[in-house]
Amino acid sequence: MGRSLKYDIPGIDPRVSPSDVAERGWIGLFARLRAGYDEAFAGLHPGVSPTGDADRDRVLEIGFGRGEFLLGLASAAPDTDFIGLEISFKRTLKMARKVARAGLRNVLLMETPAEVAIRGCFAADELAEVWINFSDPWPKARHAPRRLIQPDFVAELARVLAPGGALHVATDDVPYAHQIDAVLTDAKTLENALAPWPFVGEVAGRSITGYEAQWREQSRPLHFFEYRRRVGDGSVSVGGRA
Ligand SMILES: C[S@@+](CC[C@H](N)C(=O)[O-])C[C@H]1O[C@@H](n2cnc3c(N)ncnc32)[C@H](O)[C@@H]1O
């Protein structure tokens, strides 16, 4: 199924059973995004959430892929709201089914590029955590500018994180790990929670993503970064929101 179908489907995608996704906030977002990104952002506003309850912590996963990691997080923390961002229409549809079948009411999915959504859909200081697991490494040097972790994007992530909030980034690609290290180190409002190490190769208790399972089978080196948004005076309250 090619991505060209994206804007051809009238209403809700016919491959998704209405009973699977009925009454989900996802439907509303999908319906708006379907028409095109410019129009979509006229209808979106900072503060998107699956429950609309501003008192609940909100956690974002960017590029959830097949969604195993996000499903695990959301099942384990029903009192927290989770937002999943994906650029792939097909993956968003498949994940919507999984969320509906799991009966999770604390997940909202958005099919839109993270670089666009992060500017339009999140207010300053509003996210408790952001997870970016194994975003595409674009291994050829000339394609490095296409990698997600870039200074401007990280500045936007730091803006939407609450003081003390955590940014988790993982990659299996060594050149990309160097780029991530350099960009995160340069981000003035973030502090490395793993210092003096730039990253670690294992994180106890962390669940494994779909791509990560493949990389582990191939014995690829894993790099897990964790940064925290600085609190006003430059210090970081590791382990919770300020
Ligand atoms: C290599 S896969 C990793 C998937 C998953 N995080 C995992 O670890 O199994 C990267 C995912 O990011 C998505 N993606 C790529 N660029 C993106 C962007 N700009 N915004 C949101 N998602 C993106 C892709 O569609 C893909 O599902």
Side-chain angles (χ1 to χ4, degrees), residues 7 28 35 48 67 78 82 90 109 138 160 163 171 188 218 222-223 229:
Y7 302 125
V48 291
F82 292 87
K90 202 169 158 185
L109 304 177
W138 293 102
V160 300
T171 186
K188 298 284 177 281
Q218 297 171 20
L222 303 181
H223 313 75
R229 163 82 190 283

Side-chain angles (χ1 to χ4, degrees), residues 66 68-69 208-215:
R66 291 190 289 269
E68 307 91 333
F69 191 83
I208 291 176
T209 77
Y211 276 73
E212 181 180 345
Q214 294 175 40
W215 307 146

Side-chain angles (χ1 to χ4, degrees), residues 61-69 85-89 91 110 112-116 132-138 146 148 153 172 206 208-215:
E61 186 183 2
I62 294 174
F64 54 76
R66 291 190 289 269
E68 307 91 333
F69 191 83
L85 275 181
E86 237 311 323
I87 203 168
S88 160
F89 173 65
R91 286 185 168 172
M110 297 175 63
T112 192
E115 301 89 331
V116 177
I132 305 178
N133 294 319
F134 304 96
S135 61
D136 299 314
W138 293 102
R146 299 184 191 176
L148 194 56
F153 182 63
D172 61 296
R206 208 192 115 106
I208 291 176
T209 77
Y211 276 73
E212 181 180 345
Q214 294 175 40
W215 307 146

Side-chain angles (χ1 to χ4, degrees), residues 20-75:
D20 272 356
V21 294
E23 303 305 322
R24 299 291 308 156
W26 178 82
I27 289 177
L29 283 171
F30 172 74
R32 277 179 291 212
L33 292 173
R34 180 173 54 82
Y37 296 129
D38 290 345
E39 188 181 318
F41 280 89
L44 289 174
H45 53 83
V48 291
S49 99
T51 63
D53 182 346
D55 290 336
R56 287 162 63 99
D57 273 352
R58 234 169 304 161
V59 172
L60 173 69
E61 186 183 2
I62 294 174
F64 54 76
R66 291 190 289 269
E68 307 91 333
F69 191 83
L70 185 56
L71 287 170
L73 288 181
S75 311

Side-chain angles (χ1 to χ4, degrees), residues 140-188:
K140 289 183 182 154
R142 71 174 189 279
H143 290 154
R146 299 184 191 176
R147 294 171 181 156
L148 194 56
I149 303 296
Q150 305 285 348
D152 288 353
F153 182 63
V154 167
E156 278 297 300
L157 292 175
R159 179 186 70 82
V160 300
L161 270 176
L167 171 63
H168 309 268
V169 182
T171 186
D172 61 296
D173 184 80
V174 173
Y176 194 15
H178 285 298
Q179 178 169 328
I180 293 168
D181 181 30
V183 170
L184 295 181
T185 302
D186 281 354
K188 298 284 177 281

